Amino acid sequence: MKDRFRLMEEADDRQISRELQGEVNNEFVYRVGDNVHLSYAGVRYAASILGGIHVKDVNCLFNEKLDQFEATVYAENRRTGITLPGTAEHRSSHLVEGESVRDMFARRTAVSKATRNALLAVMPVEHVKAVIVQLQESTQSLCIQMRR
């Protein structure tokens, strides 16, 4: 059984991949059991509603030993003056039927996940909670159920 964070991370990977291929994401909230969290698209939506939040710096390196991209993104909340980092890693290849397949979006996925983490870090917790409530009340299509 996968833990809720692994389930949400995998769902965000799929959202990021779809976005990089030109699709629009409309799943803003994840529900795993009794836990509710913002998705990748939900974090970006919450940041746009709050306003005054922007990305200041992006760094992404390839770790050959671990075969992964490692990204650090700094976001700033101009209202509070707080700047915090978000980090993420994403493997550059994965196994498909026993064969290693390169992920052509690996670097961009690592940067997208690090951006999500940085944006979330600089938003007030009360704002994040309020956005989750608003999204849950507005429509069911924005909330997806996940099973462990």
Side-chain angles (χ1 to χ4, degrees):
M1 175 175 0
K2 294 182 181 180
D3 66 59
R4 70 176 188 251
F5 296 109
R6 174 66 52 206
L7 287 168
M8 290 184 297
E9 190 71 7
E10 290 172 358
D12 273 353
D13 284 349
R14 289 188 298 274
Q15 270 198 354
I16 291 165
S17 177
R18 287 192 312 263
E19 180 183 85
L20 292 172
Q21 295 176 52
E23 293 182 35
V24 175
N25 290 310
N26 63 358
E27 300 165 345
F28 295 125
V29 178
Y30 297 142
R31 178 184 297 280
V32 183
D34 294 334
N35 299 290
V36 181
H37 299 275
L38 290 176
S39 69
Y40 166 74
V43 169
R44 293 180 54 204
Y45 174 74
S48 71
I49 289 175
L50 183 61
I53 294 179
H54 76 282
V55 172
K56 285 186 77 166
D57 192 28
V58 177
N59 297 299
C60 188
L61 303 171
F62 183 69
N63 182 327
E64 287 186 42
K65 185 175 182 179
L66 298 176
D67 188 38
Q68 68 183 17
F69 286 95
E70 300 170 349
T72 301
V73 172
Y74 289 87
E76 177 185 32
N77 182 329
R78 290 182 177 164
R79 293 175 181 207
T80 63
I82 294 173
T83 299
L84 293 171
T87 62
E89 303 80 30
H90 192 78
R91 302 219 14 109
S92 66
S93 60
H94 56 278
L95 290 178
V96 175
E97 297 179 8
E99 286 193 40
S100 181
V101 177
R102 300 295 279 166
D103 180 348
M104 62 188 222
F105 297 119
R107 181 179 182 278
R108 288 183 267 177
T109 301
V111 170
S112 293
K113 291 193 296 188
T115 300
R116 171 204 61 198
N117 295 341
L119 294 174
L120 196 54
V122 298
M123 283 190 280
V125 173
E126 300 80 24
H127 173 69
V128 172
K129 289 179 180 179
V131 169
I132 289 172
V133 168
Q134 172 205 0
L135 288 169
Q136 286 181 299
E137 291 174 351
S138 65
T139 178
Q140 287 298 93
S141 67
L142 299 176
C143 182
I144 60 170
Q145 289 280 114
M146 302 171 119
R147 302 234 190 298
R148 287 194 238 194

